Amino acid sequence: MLSVSMIYTLSLDSFNNTFAVKEDGTKLTHRSGKRFKLFPFIANNNIEPVMDLSGLVGRYLSQIEQKEPVSITPEELIQKLKDDDETEIELGKEEIFEQVVRHMFFDREGKIRPINLRMLAQTPCEESNECRLADYLVDVLGDVDTLKRHMASASERVDAQSNALERFAASKLETIPSSRKTGNEYQRITNAVKKKFEEDFEYILGARNRTRDYLIPLLEFYYFSYTAQTALQLNRFLDGERSKCVPLFFCLEWEKTSQNRRCFSEGWNTLQDAVKRIFAHAITLEILNQTEEGTPPVDYISLQELTNCAPGEDHRIAEQIKVLTDAYRKAISDCPEMAELARKDSPDGEVAAEVRFLFESIRVQFENTVRNRPYSSYAEKFEEYSRKYLKRRGRSGMMLNLSEETLIFLTKICIKDQEKMRLNDVFAEFEARGVFLDNHSKTEIMHYYEKLNLIEKKSDSVVGQVDKDNMKVTGNSRFGCWICTMVKEDKSLKNFIDHGATELIPLRDFRNWLVELRANPDARDYRRRNGSVYLTSSGDFGRGPFTMEARKEILRRLLRLQVETGFELITLDELKMIDKLWEDEGDLSRRSLVEIYAEVTGEKLPWDNYRKAKYDEGTVALIHALCDKHDVPFDLMSKLMIAVDNSKFYTRSAVAAKNVERILNEGWLHFEAIREGLNHED
């Protein structure tokens, strides 16, 4: 922003050029982002708002490092690895090597797999509106040098945790300097959430599983929080405070609300009014930055600082703004409502009064002419995204809303690695991130924490401390199998939730997800556990148990649910039995379950150190490649290898032969041959 020592001088020529004003001054074209980039939105009805930030994470990370990834195909990476002097491939094994690299680092479409932070930064951002949003987040959320240091530290940890082939492949990925021009960055209006974002970003990158699970939610939350705070600060004009959050009140998803609550009077209604005007602010600030070349950008707050820096500056600057305001108003000939506006004195000074008059002139002509649609479209890009944090509350309309998932996420990033934190300090951390709660909501959160046994109460105080590791829930209510998928809706579970047991909501959501997964044919094997297959009346293969990948995802989500709720949802004995079943049914690594457990919980199972991998990732990929080459089903080969290995300590070779014969005689292997034989039977 403009230093108070700089001379602020507006240029009519610059204004005429930027806004393409006709020579007679009677017509112009509205343009924003030439001299002052405020938001990444475009006043175009045909451009959809960005709702999912997963597609721009690679762009975001690479732009922090001020680099751009060089796209690479599987063939190009394979060639780079083969050309390296340290690469030695046995004669005749080149095809296998190539298939291993493809399996490990690329998906079926030839796109690089984001298996670590470095490769995540290599993923391309293909949509222009997503790229703009990524650049916006880089510029406004935190100091780029600070974020770059956090990324460098995280990348070092990733390298230490990666296998040799992964590090070798990552070393062949190339980047080029960023094509973004210096001096064309988005301008940060408020610093209120900057420090907290930098802290949270470092924390999320501190562990591989946190990066995978929480980097996108972190960017989504701060995109909303920063943009909301900017809209609110802009509506304060020269009275804004760069370092403080404007109170913006939320309510909780499960609590009752009313129009007497602050979440109604100082929540979405206030924010929506501010958001609807952001394009008017974008044009106002664009006009206020039509200065002589070389002058740094200025916003409302820095403009106030300039007017205070010396006697007479307020009048001098106001007169210059007046010239451009008059030029703008002259160019708008189709808005009689704008002609009715009159300049008003302001107790804050001449500049404050002139800025507001300019803004009102812009706003009124947009809202009362055919230009209203693009004006609204600009704001709708963020309004639509805000629905992630909105819930309709009857006659009260939409309110800003914290779901249980968002509340748990906020609690985690606020507490981080601290053992405990006082409840009032947790609420203060929420506010530092732009989330304000009235006393009713704070009480509801306290009750929620109590149900999760997160509150450690003092006998002499109602203010407890939040303990993120103490997740057990009190109460012995039993109502049968909570995970039962035999009924469409678990009415017992619903009844508990309706009567205040909101801690059961995540369990209900998991159960409903499992019902949906069961109906997904891609998640089910076409073979039964004994290897038999059958046809349905439609002639299609019937469905058997969940696939191994589906089972891994179910366990991962169940463990995540256990960590988040504190319920014991699966015992160590059950995990041990699952571990043995997975090994018998094709887990060549023998490490899948223990690694999922450590990844989700951050702790090791008691038998983790004893589960030594029979085959490392490279060997498994090699087996995959060989199976592909010789058209042998991989799961058949893995079962045979496991069966032989399990029989190696038997003195009688017949044991191993019997196990192999049983696998080779499974129905799915011979189904097509049998059917063909039956079809040709005389």
Side-chain angles (χ1 to χ4, degrees), residues 465-484:
Q465 293 179 318
V466 176
D467 181 351
K468 70 179 187 307
D469 297 319
N470 190 8
M471 298 293 285
K472 292 182 180 178
V473 180
T474 58
N476 296 311
S477 299
R478 295 182 58 82
F479 49 94
C481 179
W482 69 275
I483 205 64
C484 178

Side-chain angles (χ1 to χ4, degrees), residues 198-479:
E198 292 170 351
E199 294 174 0
D200 295 345
F201 184 74
E202 180 181 22
Y203 172 69
I204 293 300
L205 294 190
R208 197 164 181 166
N209 63 314
R210 286 203 297 263
T211 303
R212 183 196 64 240
D213 294 341
Y214 294 121
L215 179 57
I216 293 172
L218 182 80
L219 293 177
E220 289 180 339
F221 170 76
Y222 273 100
Y223 168 38
F224 173 82
S225 182
Y226 169 82
T227 307
Q229 286 296 319
T230 295
L232 293 170
Q233 288 286 2
L234 290 171
N235 256 16
R236 293 187 169 194
F237 294 94
L238 277 64
D239 293 329
E241 295 181 86
R242 205 181 299 282
S243 61
K244 291 184 179 180
C245 282
V246 179
L248 186 62
F249 282 82
F250 291 67
C251 60
L252 306 175
E253 186 176 51
W254 61 89
E255 69 174 321
K256 294 181 179 179
T257 59
S258 72
Q259 295 185 8
N260 296 323
R261 298 275 303 279
R262 298 184 76 176
C263 53
F264 175 79
S265 59
E266 299 175 63
W268 175 242
N269 288 336
T270 301
L271 177 59
Q272 186 180 34
D273 182 63
V275 170
K276 286 185 179 300
R277 302 179 173 196
I278 58 175
F279 191 49
H281 284 295
I283 298 298
T284 301
L285 287 167
E286 186 68 29
I287 292 175
L288 293 175
N289 281 276
Q290 299 307 307
T291 54
E292 295 180 347
E293 287 292 336
T295 304
V298 58
D299 64 7
Y300 296 144
I301 298 174
S302 53
L303 197 58
Q304 179 64 64
E305 294 170 352
L306 285 172
T307 62
N308 296 333
C309 70
E313 280 298 284
D314 186 42
H315 177 72
R316 183 187 72 82
I317 294 174
E319 287 297 308
Q320 293 197 12
I321 296 174
K322 184 177 182 298
V323 172
L324 297 194
T325 301
D326 291 343
Y328 177 84
R329 288 170 61 85
K330 179 183 177 182
I332 305 296
S333 58
D334 59 347
C335 182
E337 291 85 356
M338 189 177 73
E340 296 174 3
L341 290 175
R343 286 183 168 86
K344 298 178 181 178
D345 292 336
S346 170
D348 298 322
E350 294 181 53
V351 168
E354 196 59 44
V355 167
R356 284 182 178 269
F357 183 64
L358 171 60
F359 171 82
E360 286 299 316
S361 299
I362 295 170
R363 180 188 66 81
V364 167
Q365 69 83 25
F366 271 129
E367 294 179 359
N368 293 279
T369 66
V370 294
R371 291 178 288 277
N372 178 262
R373 188 66 196 108
Y375 172 76
S376 299
S377 175
Y378 188 92
E380 285 170 0
K381 302 296 188 293
F382 185 66
E383 282 186 279
E384 197 65 27
Y385 179 81
S386 299
R387 292 184 179 276
K388 287 175 177 282
Y389 303 95
L390 292 174
K391 183 176 180 179
R392 183 166 295 281
R393 298 295 186 135
R395 289 181 297 176
S396 299
M398 304 294 281
M399 288 190 183
L400 290 171
N401 173 73
L402 286 185
S403 65
E404 285 192 280
E405 183 179 10
T406 304
L407 177 59
I408 291 171
F409 169 70
L410 281 174
T411 304
K412 284 181 177 179
I413 62 174
C414 289
I415 296 178
K416 295 185 173 66
D417 294 323
Q418 298 181 67
E419 288 300 318
K420 296 177 182 179
M421 179 181 285
R422 293 186 65 82
L423 190 56
N424 280 351
D425 292 337
V426 173
F427 293 142
E429 289 291 324
F430 282 10
E431 292 180 1
R433 292 165 175 79
V435 175
F436 288 73
L437 302 159
D438 63 16
N439 289 333
H440 188 283
S441 292
K442 288 179 180 178
T443 301
E444 283 291 322
I445 287 180
M446 184 177 70
H447 292 330
Y448 178 75
Y449 286 157
E450 285 175 349
K451 288 179 180 179
L452 298 183
N453 209 19
L454 292 173
I455 296 288
E456 184 182 90
K457 285 194 172 182
K458 301 288 186 179
S459 59
D460 59 347
S461 174
V462 296
V463 179
Q465 293 179 318
V466 176
D467 181 351
K468 70 179 187 307
D469 297 319
N470 190 8
M471 298 293 285
K472 292 182 180 178
V473 180
T474 58
N476 296 311
S477 299
R478 295 182 58 82
F479 49 94

